[in-house]
Amino acid sequence: MSDLSSRKSQLAAFDRLLTIMDELREQCPWDRKQTLESLRHLTIEETFELSDAILENNLEEIKKELGDILLHIVFYAKIGAEKEAFDIGSVIDSLCEKLIRRHPHIYGDTEAKDEETVKQNWEKIKLKEKGNVSVLGGVPKSLPALIKAMRIQEKARGVGFDWEEKHQVWEKVEEEMKEFKEEFNASHESEINKEKATGEFGDLLFSLINYARFIDINPEEALERTNLKFIKRFQYLENAARAAGRNIEDMTLAEMDVYWEEAKKISES
């Protein structure tokens, strides 16, 4: 077994990190100045950087970004210890206790033969623990809307509120598409009711997210892959135009589309 996989070396590395955190907090002007609030936006940024590395399947970058997030966890725990509220030990112990409570099929006498049952048990136990009046009470308010829609649907499913068959979900998508089209028909020149059209478009998106979830597609990941694909193709367009001595702002849509089609062929080959 290599040093990287041995429990002894892992514990030693963690102990080294805690020692360095103590030293930085005491001796570094920047680290000494940080608060829970000042670290918050940096933590969010690090989380998105980890997400980028995962999407790119860059294992070396994933390792680095995990290290950055671990640093933040240790940093928060250090500040918590200074406030005499919690430390890294109590954070870890609390996590271990929660994992044991929420896996009664491993540490208790509950049966769970499939993933869906495990998820339903998790949500039910979580609801009791938090004492939420609503099943949806645990969904963070500041989540991006697309991810929030996913979590709302997952939590509702956790207590049995969900469609039974995927064709029912697709029928709902078609229904919402019809209602949206009635509010915004592209073939009509009449002014639309933007408020109603916005509401219907939201319903359509929600139903599409629901269908994606039903067929085991992560809509956030799917949309981000499309974002990255568009960026790559558009940057090819920009570079190709520049290489031809053209200014993209002065090109017609038809001229730009030539390079766009080239980019599509390259990405699909």
Side-chain angles (χ1 to χ4, degrees):
M1 182 179 290
S2 69
D3 287 342
L4 282 177
S5 61
S6 72
R7 182 62 61 90
K8 182 179 179 180
S9 66
Q10 291 168 6
L11 293 173
F14 192 60
D15 181 67
R16 183 186 180 200
L17 173 60
L18 295 179
T19 300
I20 292 172
M21 184 74 256
D22 289 343
E23 293 169 347
L24 294 179
R25 187 66 172 169
E26 181 180 344
Q27 301 174 33
C28 174
W30 186 89
D31 289 277
R32 194 164 55 236
K33 186 180 179 181
Q34 300 313 304
T35 65
L36 297 174
E37 293 75 16
S38 71
L39 290 172
R40 176 181 171 274
H41 75 281
L42 297 175
T43 307
I44 293 171
E45 181 179 338
E46 294 294 353
T47 303
F48 279 111
E49 289 179 359
L50 172 62
S51 175
D52 286 347
I54 292 172
L55 285 172
E56 294 164 4
N57 195 28
N58 188 327
L59 296 181
E60 186 62 28
E61 282 301 310
I62 290 173
K63 182 184 75 171
K64 292 177 182 177
E65 298 304 339
L66 284 173
D68 290 341
I69 290 177
L70 179 57
L71 169 61
H72 280 238
I73 293 170
V74 170
F75 211 148
Y76 286 122
K78 177 64 177 177
I79 296 172
E82 293 168 358
K83 293 178 177 292
E84 298 184 350
F86 55 85
D87 63 11
I88 193 65
S90 61
V91 168
I92 294 172
D93 284 338
S94 177
L95 172 60
C96 291
E97 290 163 7
K98 181 174 73 173
L99 290 173
I100 291 171
R101 285 195 311 272
R102 295 191 186 178
H103 290 81
H105 54 290
I106 302 296
Y107 301 102
D109 54 8
T110 300
E111 287 192 14
K113 296 181 179 179
D114 55 44
E115 176 190 0
E116 189 59 37
T117 306
V118 172
K119 289 167 66 176
Q120 289 178 3
N121 287 341
W122 179 283
E123 292 298 340
K124 290 175 183 176
I125 295 169
K126 184 176 181 179
L127 188 62
K128 290 180 181 178
E129 288 176 354
K130 291 184 174 292
N132 290 326
V133 175
S134 170
V135 170
L136 306 180
V139 180
K141 295 177 181 178
S142 58
L143 273 180
L146 194 151
I147 300 175
K148 185 186 292 185
M150 292 166 53
R151 293 299 293 133
I152 287 171
Q153 293 169 6
E154 289 169 353
K155 285 184 175 294
R157 181 178 180 81
V159 293
F161 187 77
D162 202 5
W163 301 94
E164 294 180 352
E165 302 292 341
K166 67 179 181 180
H167 72 84
Q168 297 173 312
V169 190
W170 185 249
E171 288 169 3
K172 183 64 176 175
V173 171
E174 293 180 322
E175 175 189 328
E176 296 296 351
M177 175 63 82
K178 180 175 179 292
E179 292 179 3
F180 174 64
K181 186 176 180 181
E182 289 172 356
E183 293 302 328
F184 177 44
N185 193 321
S187 64
H188 294 170
E189 296 300 326
S190 57
E191 186 175 348
I192 68 168
N193 183 324
K194 189 173 181 180
E195 186 68 24
K196 289 188 68 176
T198 299
E200 295 298 345
F201 186 68
D203 292 344
L204 175 58
L205 281 179
F206 194 84
S207 64
L208 281 169
I209 291 167
N210 213 356
Y211 187 73
R213 177 182 58 84
F214 229 81
I215 59 174
D216 200 27
I217 291 176
N218 185 312
E220 168 70 19
E221 180 183 344
L223 181 57
E224 183 59 12
R225 286 188 181 186
T226 297
N227 288 339
L228 294 173
K229 180 169 61 177
F230 183 92
I231 290 170
K232 186 175 181 180
R233 290 176 179 177
F234 192 82
Q235 288 177 341
Y236 174 89
L237 188 163
E238 290 177 311
N239 293 332
R242 194 176 300 114
R246 302 292 304 276
N247 188 334
I248 192 171
E249 287 85 357
D250 299 327
M251 295 171 63
T252 65
L253 181 59
E255 290 172 330
M256 288 189 283
D257 198 47
V258 172
Y259 293 124
W260 182 264
E261 291 300 322
E262 287 179 6
K264 285 175 62 176
K265 290 178 181 178
I266 292 172
S267 64
E268 293 169 358
S269 60

